[in-house]
Amino acid sequence: MLQRHLLLLSAAFLAVACGDTQPPAAPDATRYDLLITDGTVYDGLGGEPYVADVAIADDRIVAIGSDLGTAERVIDAGGLAVAPGFINMLSWATESLIEDGRSQSDIRQGVTLEVMGEGWTMGPINEAMRAEALERQGDIKFEIPWTTLGEYLQYLEDKGISTNVASFIGATTVRIHELGYEDRAPTEAELERMRGLVRTAMEEGALGVGSSLIYPPAFYADTDELIALAEVAADYGGRYISHMRSEGAQLVEAVDELITIAREAGIGAEIYHLKAAGAANFDKLETVFERIEKARADGLDITADMYTYTAGATGLGASMPPWVQEGGYEAWAERLQDPEIRARLVEEISTPSDDWENLYLMAGGPGNMVLAGFKNPELKPLTGKTLAEVAEMRGTPPIETMMDLVVEDGSRVGTIYFIMSEENVKKKIAKPWMSFGSDAESLAPEGAFLLSSTHPRAYGTFARLLGKYVREEQVIPLREAIRRLTSLPAENLKIEDRGVLQVGYFADVVVFDPETIQDHATFEEPHQYSTGVSHVIVNGVPVLLDGEHTGATPGRFVKGPGYAAAN
């Protein structure tokens, strides 16, 4: 098998050297593991599509052309698009993959790589963090046998997953590891230990450093602290990626901070789920575009990602000031039961301020906040109701109701906030440096996943892009959308041999119907699969055939550039 692979690669490289635009046809006697025939091939680089066969042996693409030979399995892709597997630039499948490694809601949209790391990561952890994580588990229960981030990602691979996985190291997690939940700067010794944790993660295969700066304790980190961590990632060819300090009133200033970190640390940087949140801030998006494109013109590597909806999802903590959350959940819940603190919070949450990100006001009030995730079984009947509805049911003011729910639930309470404009969604999609991420778990409409609601982006982000915004509204051409889902994020992440449909690359392939691909998940009924994806191949193994999951779990821990540098 390996000898055949090498011979085919040599033939392909010779063809390229001679100026051929297509690899040469293989002899009829050639036999592959898998042959995808008569599909319309999209290379992932944005080139014009063409009809060809794609041959796979072991875990690699070994030939693209016509009359390639025979195979153990043949997939007829006539009339369908054949593209590199899609990359989910912001996945929260950290726990859902432990519960169900099939990654159904993403696989059925063509996703073959889940990229994690928005501030919090599953490692590194110390014993105090391990105990807290076990105590705070919600609907999904699991053991925590790992300590480092790399050990967690390897745990997923060993357990069996259908998608590949990769991750940034969370700046929030690194801070908690050394400082806990305190609102202060690290000492020199603490900062050096934090940098050491980043160094270890990069050598294990992390992609860079990820931050989430509106949430305590990440909120307490200043720019210099973030630069110090990003510098370590830069030494290994990594990237800085951030849920910025503001997406609303201080949005432009937050972009300036990200650009400063990139410049000072000598690192490429990406903005997580770029948005202008709150009606008063919608027009700031154009200024953000100007800032990013000026930085790119100056030679900085600045990019962004997004999801294809006008609502975001986080917790009720995003509607309360960071000071009340210092010390972690227990300290937060205790403060919420103090009458004087509650009175102060009512005043602060009701009053516009540039000092912190207030999603209660940015959403326009409790009627635009849907309660989606409860831990306490007694509160689960409230799932899907707005905060306004629950406040009316209880006969308490909305802000006081928020405080009560956080205390009663033992959690931040998962919440959907309607904070963006449809016009801005389209403007963002049109930007050539924009990739895409679900900012959600990868779920299935069964078992533990049905104990809570979710944002429809968990089931529909990528299909919605290709159906609504490419086919129906023609915001960008299909070949450009595929580039943004494949080679663009792979290049930004410096992932080798993935993201392009090309001989020698890993066989992560999606076969879908551009005329029918469609999201079906709604805010009212989010647990609904997208349709239109027929087949998905991960590392040469079919995980979706004729729209049905095969149960195969060939996913791997995909390592970033630091791993190669260290090894």
Side-chain angles (χ1 to χ4, degrees), residues 313-350:
T314 178
L316 289 178
S319 291
M320 300 186 197
W323 64 261
V324 77
Q325 301 173 60
E326 182 183 2
Y329 173 79
E330 298 299 335
W332 177 22
E334 183 176 348
R335 291 189 188 103
L336 292 181
Q337 297 173 73
D338 182 315
E340 291 187 5
I341 290 178
R342 288 172 70 93
R344 176 182 171 186
L345 286 174
V346 169
E347 177 66 23
E348 290 193 16
I349 293 169
S350 303

Side-chain angles (χ1 to χ4, degrees), residues 276-460:
N281 303 306
F282 288 167
D283 61 357
K284 293 180 180 177
L285 190 63
E286 294 296 339
T287 303
V288 168
F289 291 159
E290 291 170 6
R291 289 286 209 278
I292 292 172
E293 286 165 358
K294 172 65 163 58
R296 289 171 60 85
D298 289 343
L300 292 178
D301 176 13
I302 308 295
T303 57
D305 56 65
M306 63 175 289
Y307 46 81
T308 50
Y309 296 86
T310 57
T314 178
L316 289 178
S319 291
M320 300 186 197
W323 64 261
V324 77
Q325 301 173 60
E326 182 183 2
Y329 173 79
E330 298 299 335
W332 177 22
E334 183 176 348
R335 291 189 188 103
L336 292 181
Q337 297 173 73
D338 182 315
E340 291 187 5
I341 290 178
R342 288 172 70 93
R344 176 182 171 186
L345 286 174
V346 169
E347 177 66 23
E348 290 193 16
I349 293 169
S350 303
T351 305
S353 170
D354 292 344
D355 295 336
W356 60 285
E357 196 87 330
N358 185 342
L359 266 64
Y360 179 89
L361 292 182
M362 287 162 60
N368 291 324
M369 297 167 57
V370 177
L371 304 173
F374 290 99
K375 178 182 176 183
N376 183 346
E378 295 183 4
L379 296 178
K380 286 185 178 293
L382 301 178
T383 300
K385 297 185 182 300
T386 66
L387 176 62
E389 290 170 334
V390 174
E392 185 176 359
M393 288 169 56
R394 291 183 162 214
T396 54
I399 294 176
E400 302 236 4
T401 302
M402 277 201 305
M403 299 185 224
D404 294 339
L405 291 174
V406 168
V407 173
E408 294 171 27
D409 196 55
S411 84
R412 65 177 192 157
V413 183
T415 307
I416 295 170
Y417 294 85
F418 289 85
I419 52 177
M420 290 168 274
S421 80
E422 179 66 20
E423 180 183 2
N424 279 354
V425 168
K426 296 176 185 177
K427 287 180 179 179
K428 291 183 294 182
I429 290 172
K431 291 299 177 183
W433 35 261
M434 185 72 65
S435 55
F436 299 88
S438 68
D439 196 6
E441 313 91 332
S442 188
L443 307 173
E446 60 186 60
F449 299 138
L450 292 179
L451 296 175
S452 294
S453 187
T454 188
H455 193 298
R457 65 192 183 190
Y459 286 86

Side-chain angles (χ1 to χ4, degrees), residues 1-9 30-36 54-63 70-73 498 504-509 537-542 554 556:
M1 186 73 73
L2 179 59
Q3 184 178 17
R4 184 179 75 219
H5 181 182
L6 293 174
L7 286 171
L8 287 165
L9 283 177
T30 303
R31 188 169 180 83
Y32 310 97
D33 296 328
L34 178 63
L35 192 61
I36 303 171
V54 178
I56 295 168
D58 295 326
D59 59 358
R60 300 273 181 164
I61 298 168
V62 294
T70 60
E72 297 294 328
R73 181 192 297 273
R498 297 187 193 270
Y505 276 58
F506 285 102
D508 296 338
V509 184
I537 318 299
V538 177
N539 297 314
V541 178
R556 298 175 185 169

Side-chain angles (χ1 to χ4, degrees), residues 15-322:
V16 172
C18 293
D20 292 348
T21 58
Q22 301 288 339
D28 290 342
T30 303
R31 188 169 180 83
Y32 310 97
D33 296 328
L34 178 63
L35 192 61
I36 303 171
T37 62
D38 297 323
T40 302
V41 173
Y42 289 80
D43 60 11
L45 296 170
E48 289 289 340
Y50 57 92
V51 176
D53 300 344
V54 178
I56 295 168
D58 295 326
D59 59 358
R60 300 273 181 164
I61 298 168
V62 294
I64 302 174
S66 59
D67 301 323
L68 296 180
T70 60
E72 297 294 328
R73 181 192 297 273
V74 176
I75 292 175
D76 180 3
L80 303 177
V82 180
F86 302 153
I87 297 175
N88 183 350
M89 270 301 300
L90 176 48
S91 170
W92 276 107
T94 47
E95 296 184 6
S96 61
L97 284 176
I98 297 175
E99 176 71 13
D100 183 353
R102 293 174 298 170
S103 196
Q104 291 253 46
S105 63
D106 271 358
I107 281 288
R108 290 168 181 264
Q109 296 181 78
V111 171
T112 59
L113 174 59
E114 309 277 3
V115 181
M116 306 162 181
E118 188 195 2
W120 281 272
T121 44
M122 301 293 270
I125 59 172
N126 53 34
E127 289 311 307
M129 296 168 72
R130 190 189 313 276
E132 180 188 20
L134 289 169
E135 180 183 353
R136 302 233 58 83
Q137 286 179 0
D139 297 330
I140 299 173
K141 311 294 184 186
F142 53 92
E143 298 299 318
I144 305 178
W146 62 84
T147 297
T148 69
L149 176 60
E151 290 170 353
Y152 159 74
L153 293 166
Q154 190 60 50
Y155 167 85
L156 289 181
E157 178 180 326
D158 293 344
K159 180 180 181 295
I161 49 177
S162 295
T163 51
N164 298 311
V165 290
S167 185
F168 290 82
I169 175 71
T172 309
T173 299
V174 167
R175 185 174 232 274
I176 294 171
H177 194 283
E178 296 302 317
L179 280 75
Y181 295 87
E182 296 182 44
D183 181 3
R184 65 174 177 85
T187 65
E188 287 187 16
E190 288 167 338
L191 182 58
E192 193 51 44
R193 290 198 297 271
M194 291 164 67
R195 284 165 56 90
L197 292 172
V198 173
R199 187 172 296 109
T200 297
M202 293 302 299
E203 293 179 356
E204 286 183 317
L207 302 167
V209 173
S211 66
S212 50
L213 300 178
I214 74 165
Y215 305 109
F219 178 88
Y220 311 139
D222 64 19
T223 305
D224 287 341
E225 178 182 323
L226 297 167
I227 291 171
L229 300 182
E231 284 174 340
V232 178
D235 289 341
Y236 292 91
R239 195 170 192 79
Y240 174 69
I241 188 166
S242 181
H243 179 149
M244 298 184 300
R245 210 172 292 275
S246 175
E247 297 174 327
Q250 297 293 302
L251 171 61
V252 175
E253 292 80 358
V255 172
D256 288 342
E257 181 187 37
L258 178 128
I259 292 171
T260 296
I261 292 168
R263 181 182 295 110
E264 295 300 315
I267 196 168
E270 178 149 327
I271 300 169
Y272 270 134
H273 46 58
L274 177 63
K275 65 177 71 73
N281 303 306
F282 288 167
D283 61 357
K284 293 180 180 177
L285 190 63
E286 294 296 339
T287 303
V288 168
F289 291 159
E290 291 170 6
R291 289 286 209 278
I292 292 172
E293 286 165 358
K294 172 65 163 58
R296 289 171 60 85
D298 289 343
L300 292 178
D301 176 13
I302 308 295
T303 57
D305 56 65
M306 63 175 289
Y307 46 81
T308 50
Y309 296 86
T310 57
T314 178
L316 289 178
S319 291
M320 300 186 197

